[in-house]
Amino acid sequence: MSTSPKPVKKVPIHLQSAQNRVYIKNGEIVNHDKSFKADVYIEDGIIKFVGPSSEITIPGGVRTIDASGLMIIPGGIDPHTHLQLPFGGAVAVDDFYHGTRAAVAGGTTMIIDFVLPNKHESMIEAYDKWRSWADPKVCCDYALHVGITWWSKSVSEEIGILCKELGVNSFKTFMAYKGLYQLNDSDLLDVFERIRHLNGVAMVHAENGDIIAKNTQRLLAEGINGPEGHELSRPEEVEAEAVHRACVLAHQAACPLYVVHVMSKSAGIELARARHRYRGRYIMGETLAAALGTWQPCCQHLGFDHEAAHVLSPPLRPDKTTPEFLMKLLAK
C-alpha cells in the first residue's frame, strides 16, 4: 500500500484564489533536525503538502514561488520580547502593533512577551492589563510569560490560576534589580517549588543584585554616571555567580529552569557545566542576537546616544571573543 500523500484535488475555478493557495518549489527545507529538497503547498494558511513535485497535483490559480537556491525556514518564535513595557519611568518604543509587524516582516511568526507586575500588584490584574494592550494590536501569534516580582501567599495562589485557567506555564524571576524585582534565595526556592508542582517552567534573570547595587553606589560616588558605568557595575563574574546559584536552587527544587539572556563566556560556562552536571535535565538557556553580533568596545567612544542605545542587562562584554564563544555553545 502506498504511503505517499494523496494528490491535492482540483477545485472549481471560481473557488480558486492565488491569495490563499501558495506553491513553493525547488527550495531547501530547513527543519530542526535536518534539511532536504522538497516542494511546499499551502492552502488557507495551512501547510497541506511537503515532498517531491512528482507526488502532488497543484490546482489552478495558485501563486507559485520558485525558491531555487533558497532555504525554506519555518516561522520563527521569539521567546523573549518586551513590547510596550513600562520600566524606569519610560515605555518601550515598540508597542504590540509595531513590534509584531516588524517580527512578521523578518520571518518571526510568534512572540512570547513578559507581564511584569509592580511589587504588590495582583498578577491576574497585570496579566489582564497586558492582554488589553496586546489583543487589539498584535499582527502575529503571541503568548505571555508572567514575572514573579514579589512573593506572598496570594502570589502563590495566583500562579495556580494563571497556570490552570489562563494557560500561562512559564514564570520569570529576578536575581537583579534590588528593591524592585529581586527575590532572595529563600523566596526563589519557594517559587521554584510552586512552579514544579504546577508542571511549569521557571525563568531567571541571573545577576547578583546585591553586588550590582554596591558597585553602582561606588561608581556614582566616583563620578562615573554615563553608559560606560553600566558594564563596570555588573562584570561577568557577577552574572556567572548568579547563573551557578540559580541552577543549584532549581535543581534542589527539581524545577525546570530557563536562564534568560546569557551574555558572557563565564555565564555560558556555568550553564554548560550545570547541564552536564544534571545530565541535561531541568536546565536550559538563551542568548541574544546582540551578544552574538557585537561586543562592548564596538559601542564606545561614539557619543552618548550611540553608547546608551547599547545598554542592556546583563551588558555586552569587553572580551571580543565572546560572540564566537557563545555561538559555539549554541552549536553544542
Side-chain angles (χ1 to χ4, degrees):
M1 181 176 178
S2 174
T3 58
S4 300
K6 294 180 180 180
V8 177
K9 294 180 180 179
K10 291 253 184 196
V11 295
I13 191 69
H14 69 281
L15 296 178
Q16 297 171 5
S17 169
Q19 296 302 315
N20 60 9
R21 302 175 190 276
V22 179
Y23 179 49
I24 306 172
K25 64 179 184 178
N26 303 324
E28 178 85 8
I29 293 176
V30 181
N31 284 335
H32 74 286
D33 56 344
K34 61 182 178 180
S35 60
F36 55 97
K37 289 278 188 182
D39 292 357
V40 180
Y41 176 66
I42 303 165
E43 187 174 287
D44 295 325
I46 298 172
I47 296 173
K48 297 287 189 177
F49 172 82
V50 177
S53 59
S54 60
E55 296 181 2
I56 183 171
T57 301
I58 301 299
V62 169
R63 181 163 68 99
T64 300
I65 299 172
D66 188 350
S68 298
L70 302 176
M71 294 185 293
I72 304 169
I73 302 175
I77 300 174
D78 189 337
H80 190 145
T81 67
H82 290 295
L83 302 179
Q84 212 166 314
L85 172 68
F87 184 81
V91 178
V93 67
D94 287 320
D95 65 8
F96 279 94
Y97 170 69
H98 291 94
T100 57
R101 183 180 177 185
V104 170
T108 294
T109 55
M110 180 177 179
I111 64 158
I112 311 180
D113 206 83
F114 288 83
V115 176
L116 293 182
N118 295 319
K119 189 169 285 190
H120 305 304
E121 181 182 10
S122 160
M123 298 179 74
I124 305 297
E125 291 178 2
Y127 169 85
D128 289 340
K129 179 168 60 180
W130 253 260
R131 287 289 304 268
S132 72
W133 293 343
D135 285 353
K137 295 181 178 180
V138 290
C139 302
C140 67
D141 293 340
Y142 85 101
L144 293 169
H145 312 291
V146 176
I148 301 174
T149 55
W150 60 294
W151 186 238
S152 69
K153 182 179 179 181
S154 66
V155 171
S156 179
E157 292 170 351
E158 286 192 322
I159 292 175
I161 295 171
L162 285 163
C163 201
K164 296 176 182 178
E165 300 179 21
L166 297 174
V168 175
N169 62 5
S170 48
F171 299 89
K172 186 177 182 181
T173 61
F174 294 84
M175 302 171 81
Y177 303 124
K178 186 177 177 67
L180 181 63
Y181 295 152
Q182 181 179 337
L183 299 179
N184 60 38
D185 287 0
S186 178
D187 287 344
L188 282 171
L189 275 171
D190 289 342
V191 170
F192 291 166
E193 288 174 352
R194 177 63 169 146
I195 292 172
R196 180 199 68 209
H197 286 304
L198 291 168
N199 294 319
V201 176
M203 309 174 78
V204 65
H205 176 138
E207 291 183 289
N208 188 313
D210 294 319
I211 294 177
I212 292 168
K214 288 284 189 182
N215 285 344
T216 300
Q217 292 177 352
R218 173 180 55 79
L219 290 164
L220 290 173
E222 295 172 359
I224 301 173
N225 57 12
E228 72 281 0
H230 186 66
E231 201 278 335
L232 296 174
S233 72
R234 53 222 305 145
E236 66 175 77
E237 68 176 3
V238 173
E239 180 188 6
E241 183 278 331
V243 169
H244 172 76
R245 182 158 41 99
C247 291
V248 171
L249 293 171
H251 183 255
Q252 289 297 307
C255 178
L257 182 70
Y258 182 100
V259 182
V260 299
H261 46 53
V262 175
M263 297 292 289
S264 67
K265 294 167 67 174
S266 299
I269 289 170
E270 290 296 341
L271 187 64
R273 284 174 175 169
R275 286 177 57 80
H276 178 74
R277 185 165 64 245
Y278 306 135
R279 299 179 183 178
R281 299 181 64 199
Y282 307 125
I283 308 299
M284 300 161 281
E286 68 174 23
T287 188
L288 301 185
L292 301 175
T294 190
W295 52 298
Q296 188 201 31
C298 292
C299 312
Q300 293 179 328
H301 312 300
L302 295 173
F304 177 88
D305 290 347
H306 183 88
E307 293 179 34
H310 289 80
V311 168
L312 64 159
S313 300
L316 295 170
R317 299 303 180 183
D319 185 343
K320 66 180 181 180
T321 65
T322 298
E324 181 181 2
F325 189 89
L326 292 175
M327 187 69 81
K328 288 180 178 178
L329 287 179
L330 284 176
K332 294 178 181 179

